[in-house]
Amino acid sequence: MEVERVQAVASALMTAETIPADFIRPEQERPAITTYQGPAPDIPTIDLSLPDRESVVRAVAQACEEWGIFQVVNHGIPTELISRLQAAGKHFFDLPQEEKEAYAKPPGSQSIEGYGTRVSKEVNGKRMWNDHLFHKVWPPSSVNYRFWPTNPPNYREVNEEYTKYMREVADKLFLCLSLGLGLEETAVKEAIGGEELEYNLKINYYPPCPRPDLALGVAAHTDLSTITILVPNDVPGLQVLKDGRWIDAKYIPNALIVHVGDQIEILSNGRYKAVLHRSTVNKENARMSWPVFLEPPEEWVVGPLPQLLSPESPPKYKAKKFKDYMYCKLNKLPQ
Ligand code: OGA
Ligand code: NI
């Protein structure tokens, strides 16, 4: 086996009371110390089925300005389909290790696709309590079925069906983001790739962890994406930084959690904020989540929308190719 999987580390530690030192976070990052304990506001929840479009637009815009994240209910994706998506992903992670390794990200691959485990790049970097599977789901020309599990046998059908519905939700959200900026309905989607926009699905698997007070599933970050549309399982763990406090996202069955990513913050010249978030882990239960990162093609240039700029409102971000933005962020270089 090329890479040490966290799932294997976790199974070996089932009855242990500690975790390896390379998973232990410095105090200022430990969830037990840094999670806000007082009464806190909830992440906004938006009902996408309300007939009054203007109030939906206002709610989306306000959530993106104040939080950079919101939950969506009545989004039109059938509940039963979300359950099948979750069951298919869980089935894959419950397979024997060798079967999962058949989908491993090839060593040296430049693409993120495949079954993977992050090994930290920082000098004093700590490992995250997470394994994952990444594969593109849209557009069809970008899809490589080599990284789609064939077990369970319905994996492909379920994921394609989910993608079909999720794209409709995404289009509604982009429309709201455009109108919320006072622009034409299609302005945001066109500026981030139009029909070439890529949909990258990640399945996060956070095994049970003997010391959830010391580890993190994913460390604090903003997503590189335009927006990220995430379905969690029923094990809580997502936290967002709001007004300097780490707040738990409430679990709402069947809701979608929408994150504003870096590209929408740039496009809106800072009006909409990319949300800083992280994920904690659980002692008894495996946590899972299914984020889909909506990203421009690599060569696509993203910068502040010219319609939003004026002498009083100069650009706050550089325009650059998405691949160059990604390179700088992943290598921790200035943008
Ligand atoms: C991510 C992420 C959060 C979660 O994978 O980028 O932020 O709830 N995941 O799993
Ligand atoms: Ni994220």
Side-chain angles (χ1 to χ4, degrees), residues 1 9 72 97 109 157 186 211 240 329:
M1 205 186 301
V9 174
V72 174
Q97 199 56 41
S109 158
E157 179 210 314
T186 54
R211 292 298 304 268
V240 303
K329 180 143 177 175

Side-chain angles (χ1 to χ4, degrees), residues 202 218 221-223 228 230 238 259 277 291 293:
K202 182 186 184 194
V218 282
H221 67 284
T222 58
D223 290 350
T228 304
L230 179 146
L238 177 65
H259 300 62
H277 57 285
F293 303 93

Side-chain angles (χ1 to χ4, degrees), residues 168-182:
E168 286 180 27
V169 177
D171 283 345
K172 278 193 196 147
L173 293 173
F174 288 135
L175 179 146
C176 291
L177 293 177
S178 300
L179 296 177
L181 291 169

Side-chain angles (χ1 to χ4, degrees), residues 87-95 99-100 103 115 133 149 151-152:
K90 180 173 186 309
H91 186 107
F92 174 73
F93 277 93
D94 286 343
L95 292 175
E99 257 188 87
K100 292 195 287 273
Y103 299 88
Y115 172 55
L133 175 70
N151 192 358

